[in-house]
């Protein structure tokens, strides 16, 4: 009974999220609550389950709120503008350097973990150069997609935070274990950018285009955006950003506290007045609060699945149909299909609906949950900007006037190759065990 009810609950959550007819917050709270009531649990019992589930996600929710606002603030004051401009100028009209610079810019821009921000920083800056140098826009979006997929392994990136919730661990602790793979991912992305640049050059791109060196980043910024820049405080803001990231790696205090302190210093130094500080917080709070609220809602689902025994019952049912010879490789199977699966299933449905089941089944065959989560996480990340159910995909395509089918046809094979390469790398460096 619990197993059937659990599967119906998960299927309902996935279907409703895929249809996009209801907020993930509503779905992740109401559906599990209804399932628990149908299973015969009382209000008081359900309350204790939810309390336990919320307790596993609250730290990551706080981390999300303050990290997104912090990086949004650093973007406002122009921390990344100078780096982007310098990279473009140095690349000049060299096609390979332009594509590699695109990878570097996208990597830096995605430090805040916000897909829309990364798209709006990278594409407007690079697309005019791509047009002047006759480089196909598909190349720009592909490099952007790869960089975003790799940088989403940061602890304030949605997939890592969601995986941490499912694993019941701190997002920063999960990220510290993923750092070697993320470093390799950045190298792979820049390598991919170089290969694409060579291919484009052979196709005739970059012929006598001197205007490329004259393009300045931020020419089209509106007056309001320019008013937020703090060029005289650039070094302070750069050092503050480096200090925040360095403290996270050092792991001497809770990650959310690091961003709390960083945000406070950034606000006080850059915007001394109360009115200006409130304006900056309000500008970035909506995105931060929606994600944090979704994570807390997921805590309700996690608590109910664990507390009712649904997860264990569902895993037992799946276990009975998985061949013994395949069971110990279940994490690798899902690692291989993670990208195409991630393209079709929304982030919340993937991490909060599918992942808990696969983790439980894998653990029954002796596969550590971390192994399974890592293989599923990497492929899903790389699928981010090639998925038709991710709004940022259409934002990026709209900025370069590119059809979704042309983008998917061009990018899928490269991104799938990147996904498999990351999976192999995770095995070779001992992050994932066979």
């Amino acid at each position: 009974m619990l197993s059937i009810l659990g599967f119906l609950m998960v299927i309902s959550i996935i279907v409703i999220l895929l249809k996009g007819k209801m907020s993930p917050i509503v779905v992740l709270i109401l559906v599990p609550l209804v399932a628990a009531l149908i299973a015969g649990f009382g209000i008081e019992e359900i309350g204790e389950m939810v309390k336990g589930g919320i307790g596993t996600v609250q730290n990551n929710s706080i981390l999300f709120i303050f990290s997104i606002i912090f990086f949004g603030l650093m973007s406002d004051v122009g921390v990344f503008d100078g780096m982007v401009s310098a990279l473009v100028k140095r690349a000049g009209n060299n096609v390979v350097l332009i594509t590699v610079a695109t990878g570097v810019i996208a990597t830096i821009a995605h430090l805040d973990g916000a897909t829309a921000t990364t798209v709006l920083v990278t594409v407007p800056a690079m697309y005019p150069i791509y047009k002047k140098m006759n480089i196909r826009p598909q190349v720009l979006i592909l490099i952007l997609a790869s960089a975003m997929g790799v940088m989403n392994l940061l602890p304030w990136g949605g997939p890592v935070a969601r995986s941490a919730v499912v694993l019941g661990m701190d997002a920063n602790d999960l990220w510290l274990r993923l750092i070697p793979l993320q470093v390799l991912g950045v190298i792979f992305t820049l390598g991919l950018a170089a290969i694409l640049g060579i291919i484009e050059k052979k196709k005739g791109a970059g012929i006598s285009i001197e205007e490329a060196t004259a393009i300045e980043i931020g020419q089209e910024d509106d007056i309001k955006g320019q008013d937020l820049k703090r060029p005289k405080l650039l070094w302070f803001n750069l050092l503050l950003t480096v200090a925040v990231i360095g403290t996270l790696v050092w792991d001497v205090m809770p990650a959310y506290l690091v961003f709390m302190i960083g945000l406070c210093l950034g606000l006080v130094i850059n915007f001394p007045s109360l009115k200006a500080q409130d304006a900056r917080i309000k500008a970035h709070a909506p995105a931060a609060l929606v994600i944090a609220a979704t994570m807390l809602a997921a805590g309700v689902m996690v608590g109910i699945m664990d507390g009712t025994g649904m997860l264990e019952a569902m895993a037992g049912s799946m276990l009975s149909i998985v061949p013994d010879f395949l069971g110990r490789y279940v994490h690798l199977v899902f690692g291989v299909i993670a990208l195409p699966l991630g393209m079709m299933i929304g982030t919340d449905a993937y991490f909060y609906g599918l992942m808990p089941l696969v983790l439980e089944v894998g653990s029954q065959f002796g596969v550590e949950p971390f192994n399974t989560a890592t293989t599923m996480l990497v492929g899903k990340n790389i699928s981010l900007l090639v998925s038709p159910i991710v709004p940022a995909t259409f934002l990026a395509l709209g900025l370069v006037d590119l059809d979704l089918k042309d983008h998917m046809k061009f990018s899928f094979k490269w991104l799938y190759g990147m996904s498999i390469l990351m999976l192999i790398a995770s095995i070779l460096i001992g992050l994932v065990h066979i």
Side-chain angles (χ1 to χ4, degrees), residues 194-227:
I195 292 171
L196 292 169
I198 293 170
I199 292 173
E200 291 302 292
K201 189 173 182 180
K202 288 182 177 180
K203 289 181 175 292
I207 301 174
S208 301
I209 306 297
E210 297 177 358
E211 305 97 300
T213 57
I215 295 178
E216 294 288 342
I217 304 304
Q219 284 179 332
E220 300 179 0
D221 282 355
D222 57 35
I223 296 174
K224 182 179 178 181
Q226 289 293 339
D227 288 344

Side-chain angles (χ1 to χ4, degrees), residues 10-322:
V10 171
I11 291 170
S12 299
I13 289 173
I14 292 175
V15 169
I16 295 172
L17 290 175
L18 284 177
K19 285 183 175 294
K21 300 295 185 181
M22 199 176 293
S23 166
I25 297 172
V26 176
V27 177
L28 293 170
I29 293 175
L30 289 186
V31 176
L33 286 176
V34 171
L37 289 171
I38 294 174
F41 291 90
I43 298 298
E44 190 173 333
E45 291 176 293
I46 294 174
E48 287 299 315
M49 296 176 197
V50 170
K51 182 178 179 181
I54 293 292
T56 65
V57 303
Q58 60 186 10
N59 287 354
N60 290 333
S61 301
I62 298 170
L63 168 65
F64 244 92
I65 292 171
F66 286 93
S67 63
I68 289 176
I69 298 176
F70 172 79
F71 279 111
L73 176 67
M74 291 300 101
S75 180
D76 288 342
V77 299
V79 165
F80 309 119
D81 292 354
M83 289 182 280
V84 172
S85 182
L87 284 168
V88 173
K89 285 182 178 180
R90 182 172 292 276
N93 66 343
N94 185 307
V95 175
V96 177
L97 288 181
I98 285 292
T99 54
V100 171
T102 303
V104 175
I105 291 168
T107 298
I108 294 171
H110 204 58
L111 279 171
D112 66 349
T115 53
T117 300
T118 306
V119 170
L120 292 172
V121 168
T122 308
V123 176
M126 300 306 298
Y127 186 46
I129 303 174
Y130 274 61
K131 287 195 295 185
K132 288 179 179 293
M133 299 185 71
N134 300 312
I135 303 174
R136 290 175 292 176
Q138 290 96 320
V139 173
L140 170 57
I141 305 303
L142 170 55
I143 296 171
L144 176 64
S146 180
M148 290 173 66
V150 169
M151 289 307 291
N152 243 20
L153 290 175
L154 290 165
W156 50 89
V160 170
R162 289 173 174 86
S163 297
V165 169
V166 176
L167 287 169
M169 65 187 298
D170 183 80
N172 201 56
D173 292 338
L174 176 57
W175 173 56
L176 291 175
R177 297 177 67 175
L178 294 171
I179 287 177
L181 182 62
Q182 187 174 31
V183 171
L184 287 174
V186 171
I187 295 171
F188 294 156
T189 295
L190 298 182
L192 171 62
I195 292 171
L196 292 169
I198 293 170
I199 292 173
E200 291 302 292
K201 189 173 182 180
K202 288 182 177 180
K203 289 181 175 292
I207 301 174
S208 301
I209 306 297
E210 297 177 358
E211 305 97 300
T213 57
I215 295 178
E216 294 288 342
I217 304 304
Q219 284 179 332
E220 300 179 0
D221 282 355
D222 57 35
I223 296 174
K224 182 179 178 181
Q226 289 293 339
D227 288 344
L228 297 176
K229 307 301 179 186
R230 295 293 185 268
K232 294 182 180 179
L233 294 171
L234 177 60
W235 284 108
F236 166 78
N237 289 314
L238 279 173
L239 289 173
L240 178 61
T241 303
V242 171
V244 165
I245 295 174
T247 306
L248 288 173
V249 177
W250 194 12
D251 196 26
V252 293
M253 64 176 71
Y256 59 81
L257 180 57
V258 176
F259 282 108
M260 284 179 169
I261 296 172
L263 176 61
C264 291
L265 292 175
L267 284 171
V268 169
I269 301 300
N270 290 287
F271 301 96
S273 73
L274 172 61
K275 183 177 180 180
Q277 290 172 11
D278 283 347
R280 289 304 87 219
I281 292 173
K282 290 177 181 178
H284 301 289
L289 289 175
V290 167
I291 297 173
T294 302
M295 193 164 297
L296 290 169
V300 174
M301 187 196 74
V302 170
I304 288 176
M305 288 185 74
D306 282 340
T308 58
M310 284 183 191
L311 186 59
E312 186 177 351
M314 293 162 69
S317 298
M318 292 178 68
L319 192 63
S320 64
I321 61 174
V322 175

